[in-house]
Amino acid sequence: MEEKKTYYVTTPIYYPSDNFHVGHCYTTCIADALARYKRLKGYDVFFLTGSDEHGQKIEERAKKAGVSPKEFVDPIIANAKDLWQSLNISYDKFIRTTDEEHVACVQKVVQKLYDQGDIYKGSYEGWYCTPCESFWTESQLVDGKCPDCGREVKLMKEDAYFLKLSKYQKAFEEYLESHRDLMQPESRYNEMVNNFLKPGLKDLCVSRSSVKWGIPVTFDKSQTVYVWVDALTNYISALGYLSDDDSLFKKYWPADLHLVGKEIFRFHTIIWPIILMALGLPLPKKVYGHGWLTIGGGKISKSKGNYKDPRLFIKDYGADTLRYFILSEVPFGSDGNFSEELMVERRNSDLANVLGNLVNRTIAMTNKYFGGEVSENVHPNDLDNEVIAYLNSLEAEVDEKMEALNLPSAIAGIFDRLKRLNKYIDETTPWILGKDENGKERLNDVLYTILEGIRMCTVALEAFIPETAERIFEDLKVTANGFEDFKFGTVKKYQVVSKAEILFTRIDEEALKAKLEKENEEKMPEHLPLIGIDDFNKIEMVVGEVKECRQHPKAERLLISKVDVGNGEIRQIVSGIADYYKPEEMPGKKVIVVLNLKPLKLKGEESMGMLLTSEYQDDKGHTCVELLESKLPSGSKIR
Ligand code: MSP
């Protein structure tokens, strides 16, 4: 027997978050549609997703919650799996970076690279962005902040191990010349080459001594493996690479497609391929960096309160409405806007009007005129032949679009056929044929043509809206066999259900608009009562420079700073910022100080003023606090 062709597709592994939004569903829905499509085409598919659980941020959040990092993440992961289930995500494996097999694999990978001389000891100094878990060089910072998320970075120096990326640069560049597909789309290829390869690769720091919640380095227990090396390795550890049973690895590696968001493209198209090269393994065939879903044209973010739990959409409209919108709306590669109103508009216009209506009235007519039974169209006329040819061309069109990862266009091709069938009903006027006994034979042929058309479109839709496809197959009483028997005429006889169901109810768009407006009003933050300028003028604020800083001996959350507030006047100020700043990173910061706050003692330490901060939630839902900083000289008045 001929071996099935394999297809290995992955999503990134997600950071544990209780605040998953539609943006997180984006990569996963696309990967799912591709995996389902390849299965329908007869491939042996392995679809991997999972969670990325190590790193300083989790360590800090768990500490705050008073539990171990593993205890902290377990319920979050269960929650993520629940979301994927409600979206009908058909992954074959969910890997966690805390899985024993993964930990063992990462340790063996790092040890192997060390043994063969590709990893060496050095010391690392760089700008670290804690939320992104990324080190940056001075020149990569944008206005002194993290180029990815725009947040504060910290200068860190520590003993560490390095991977010789530079040693592999030339070989990698040569490889890229004949494997352009590795980096898709083209625009991101250019960005990687110009911004990272041309300036020359620096060796990569692959271990940390400052991060405790990570995979221990086997040859130096004071170090843990850098989270990105840990995370990227999931793509091979999940297949049992370097384990006792590496049969999956032998079968599926190299990956056919790593799907990733544009902000993590660099890790996947430079660092990951070079690690693989150093391990002597084949590189993934393709990494595709897609754009982001936005809301109101901007980033989806908790602090803006601009999104809902996707499960609320699934509850109100069903998983397929959300999947359909995500998969059909955004040109792949670009950013695209998400809104509940637009999603409902599409549900009404495409899913209810085009698809639902077609299925419903076809089944109703089949019942009405033939008691549900229709047989093959054995004498197709010119119109039928034109429609049949158009239907038969669908598979090749979908294949071509899916190969190019152009899912919206593949879906559009299917809906063009559904619209053609609706038009065919208008052209053939079954309700007139039904009135005339002589028209019965023609009516059979017309209904058969439509039923076959619906079946074929449903085969193609299975990858995108699987729940609906299953319902249609049940309504038509045909078995779903993927594309194997796709061709028009495969099902010779129909005997459909006795009652046509409504696949998608129409949602009242006006009522939804009113509901959303009301929700928005309720969400408006409450403001304090208005004050006059006289009240405002009572607050004395200046720029101050922190000279010294130490941890409060009796309160974990407090830092005690000595601040120069101008004219050499030094104030002691106690602030509740120890969760966000270390005492050693405070000196030299120029911050905004309220001077005329009544002095008070905080756990025995006098505080004469206040450092102003701003609090917000990042897009992963973590609360962040930042000092308000200024470039002006100490003593400059703020008003
Ligand atoms: N843990 C890393 C990935 C390691 S892979 C070896 C990570 N995790 S993440 O949870 O922050 O992001 C996971 C995926 O979700 C990324 O591909 C990211 O681009 C995607 N998205 C998060 N928000 C998004 C949108 N608003 N729109 C589309 N995708 C976005 O990065």
Side-chain angles (χ1 to χ4, degrees):
M1 211 178 86
E2 205 190 322
E3 286 244 330
K4 273 185 169 186
K5 279 217 279 190
T6 59
Y7 186 74
Y8 180 28
V9 59
T10 68
T11 71
I13 46 174
Y14 291 80
Y15 293 125
S17 164
D18 268 331
N19 298 300
F20 270 172
H21 50 64
V22 286
H24 292 110
C25 301
Y26 186 66
T27 327
T28 312
C29 281
I30 295 167
D32 184 64
L34 287 164
R36 285 175 180 273
Y37 162 74
K38 287 287 182 182
R39 287 189 199 112
L40 293 170
K41 294 291 295 183
Y43 281 69
D44 176 341
V45 172
F46 197 83
F47 168 19
L48 177 71
T49 191
S51 54
D52 185 358
E53 303 178 17
H54 291 122
Q56 202 163 322
K57 196 79 210 176
I58 291 287
E59 191 178 342
E60 283 168 10
R61 285 168 67 199
K63 196 172 156 208
K64 250 187 168 178
V67 292
S68 74
K70 185 72 170 42
E71 283 166 342
F72 179 74
V73 293
D74 278 348
I76 303 182
I77 304 307
N79 193 36
K81 284 187 176 173
D82 175 71
L83 171 63
W84 299 146
Q85 197 183 357
S86 58
L87 254 179
N88 294 314
I89 303 300
S90 62
Y91 57 77
D92 294 290
K93 184 176 169 93
F94 187 103
I95 187 167
R96 299 181 56 173
T97 53
T98 46
D99 289 343
E100 256 173 54
E101 300 76 21
H102 172 79
V103 171
C105 178
V106 170
Q107 288 184 321
K108 285 181 192 160
V109 162
V110 174
Q111 181 76 50
K112 185 168 161 45
L113 295 173
Y114 182 67
D115 292 344
Q116 69 191 37
D118 282 333
I119 284 180
Y120 61 92
K121 191 169 186 180
S123 86
Y124 191 84
E125 185 172 286
W127 297 95
Y128 192 68
C129 174
T130 309
C132 294
E133 325 240 19
S134 301
F135 266 100
W136 300 99
T137 60
E138 186 90 40
S139 63
Q140 285 172 323
L141 301 180
V142 175
D143 295 332
K145 305 229 161 113
C146 172
D148 267 356
C149 71
R151 278 177 284 221
E152 289 281 311
V153 286
K154 301 175 194 172
L155 190 63
M156 305 227 299
K157 186 172 180 174
E158 55 184 32
D159 275 353
Y161 289 86
F162 288 81
L163 174 67
K164 293 178 180 167
L165 287 190
S166 48
K167 172 177 157 190
Y168 291 94
Q169 165 143 10
K170 196 159 174 288
F172 182 50
E173 281 172 336
E174 276 165 19
Y175 178 89
L176 271 182
E177 275 169 28
S178 52
H179 295 85
R180 286 292 279 267
D181 238 19
L182 179 70
M183 299 185 188
Q184 289 288 318
E186 193 71 14
S187 55
R188 297 201 210 288
Y189 169 91
N190 295 332
E191 189 189 325
M192 290 302 118
V193 170
N194 293 333
N195 296 357
F196 296 101
L197 288 175
K198 279 206 181 130
L201 290 178
K202 297 211 171 54
D203 290 349
L204 176 75
C205 180
V206 293
S207 75
R208 298 284 184 271
S209 62
S210 53
V211 179
K212 298 293 166 236
W213 176 234
I215 299 180
V217 171
T218 37
F219 47 86
D220 184 340
K221 290 281 160 42
S222 71
Q223 304 271 333
T224 57
V225 176
Y226 172 43
V227 279
W228 269 102
V229 173
D230 167 354
L232 289 162
T233 306
N234 93 87
Y235 300 127
I236 50 176
S237 72
L239 301 178
Y241 175 62
L242 295 182
S243 78
D244 292 344
D245 178 5
D246 64 355
S247 50
L248 289 178
F249 180 76
K250 288 201 178 102
K251 185 170 179 190
Y252 293 108
W253 191 259
D256 292 272
L257 177 66
H258 290 317
L259 272 172
V260 301
K262 58 183 178 182
E263 83 288 7
I264 57 172
F265 192 63
R266 177 174 70 97
F267 295 98
H268 284 83
T269 53
I270 296 181
I271 294 174
W272 180 227
I274 292 185
I275 291 175
L276 290 165
M277 245 182 184
L279 291 169
L281 295 177
L283 309 196
K285 293 180 198 154
K286 188 182 286 189
V287 180
Y288 194 98
H290 64 70
W292 282 344
L293 280 188
T294 54
I295 286 184
K299 241 188 147 179
I300 305 179
S301 100
K302 177 112 198 274
S303 58
K304 288 189 198 158
N306 64 357
Y307 69 88
K308 289 186 188 174
D309 184 330
R311 269 166 287 213
L312 295 176
F313 298 133
I314 298 172
K315 187 172 130 285
D316 287 349
Y317 312 119
D320 282 352
T321 298
L322 181 58
R323 288 176 64 110
Y324 178 76
F325 185 77
I326 288 180
L327 296 171
S328 66
E329 189 64 17
V330 182
F332 206 38
S334 325
D335 289 351
N337 210 33
F338 175 87
S339 89
E340 187 171 347
E341 277 166 282
L342 209 58
M343 177 169 67
V344 165
E345 215 178 288
R346 293 285 181 277
R347 172 196 164 100
N348 283 345
S349 64
D350 301 357
L351 297 176
N353 278 5
V354 177
L355 174 63
N357 230 349
L358 175 69
V359 174
N360 184 275
R361 58 184 181 147
T362 306
I363 292 178
M365 289 190 290
T366 310
N367 278 312
K368 182 172 170 190
Y369 300 119
F370 296 104
E373 279 187 42
V374 160
S375 52
E376 195 176 1
N377 176 359
V378 283
H379 13 62
N381 66 16
D382 286 353
L383 175 65
D384 299 351
N385 281 329
E386 179 236 306
V387 170
I388 292 167
Y390 190 45
L391 289 167
N392 276 333
S393 68
L394 178 60
E395 184 175 6
E397 189 177 317
V398 170
D399 284 351
E400 187 199 323
K401 308 290 187 198
M402 292 302 270
E403 212 43 57
L405 300 182
N406 192 344
L407 280 66
S409 186
I411 295 176
I414 304 168
F415 272 78
D416 285 344
R417 266 65 177 190
L418 293 168
K419 285 179 199 154
R420 182 68 193 89
L421 291 170
N422 273 323
K423 189 167 161 231
Y424 177 74
I425 294 182
D426 296 339
E427 288 163 347
T428 50
T429 57
W431 51 93
I432 297 178
L433 293 173
K435 279 192 195 134
D436 178 358
E437 229 1 79
N438 296 329
K440 276 277 167 106
E441 200 176 285
R442 176 68 192 140
L443 182 56
N444 173 85
D445 293 350
V446 165
L447 288 178
Y448 175 84
T449 306
I450 306 169
L451 284 164
E452 266 296 81
I454 292 176
R455 178 189 66 82
M456 294 166 79
C457 290
T458 308
V459 170
L461 280 174
E462 239 185 308
F464 309 103
I465 46 173
E467 250 172 49
T468 308
E470 202 182 309
R471 281 168 71 187
I472 300 176
F473 286 135
E474 275 167 20
D475 289 349
L476 301 186
K477 292 203 192 139
V478 293
T479 25
N481 267 338
F483 282 90
E484 204 176 298
D485 44 17
F486 180 78
K487 218 172 147 33
F488 188 94
T490 310
V491 172
K492 302 282 179 217
K493 196 172 163 142
Y494 279 91
Q495 190 164 26
V496 302
V497 289
S498 54
K499 199 168 178 314
E501 62 170 332
I502 307 281
L503 291 174
F504 293 93
T505 48
R506 280 189 63 86
I507 309 282
D508 182 339
E509 288 174 34
E510 285 308 310
L512 174 69
K513 210 169 154 203
K515 184 187 110 182
L516 293 177
E517 269 167 21
K518 190 157 169 274
E519 273 178 19
N520 261 342
E521 274 166 26
E522 282 164 8
K523 251 195 290 177
M524 289 293 268
E526 275 200 35
H527 292 291
L528 296 172
L530 296 179
I531 57 167
I533 188 77
D534 293 348
D535 290 325
F536 180 76
N537 284 341
K538 285 183 195 151
I539 307 171
E540 189 184 2
M541 284 183 288
V542 295
V543 176
E545 183 175 341
V546 180
K547 294 292 184 191
E548 295 166 24
C549 183
R550 64 189 162 94
Q551 176 69 48
H552 193 302
K554 292 190 200 134
E556 238 182 49
R557 296 218 148 149
L558 300 180
L559 293 186
I560 304 168
S561 309
K562 293 268 165 52
V563 186
D564 175 353
V565 294
N567 300 324
E569 184 186 349
I570 304 286
R571 296 264 186 123
Q572 171 164 304
I573 299 178
V574 182
S575 337
I577 52 172
D579 284 348
Y580 310 97
Y581 291 91
K582 295 204 172 75
E584 58 273 22
E585 56 183 317
M586 291 291 288
K589 279 197 186 301
K590 288 191 162 176
V591 291
I592 314 284
V593 186
V594 176
L595 279 184
N596 60 334
L597 202 65
K598 278 192 190 137
L600 78 166
K601 276 200 171 164
L602 288 164
K603 296 241 170 189
E605 289 284 347
E606 174 127 283
S607 184
M608 305 207 14
M610 181 166 109
L611 306 187
L612 288 192
T613 59
S614 169
E615 186 179 311
Y616 64 98
Q617 289 196 295
D618 67 11
D619 49 8
K620 293 185 191 108
H622 314 144
T623 301
C624 305
V625 166
E626 261 182 34
L627 286 161
L628 291 187
E629 295 188 57
S630 165
K631 291 197 175 93
L632 300 176
S634 303
S636 306
K637 292 209 178 308
I638 313 282
R639 41 183 50 252

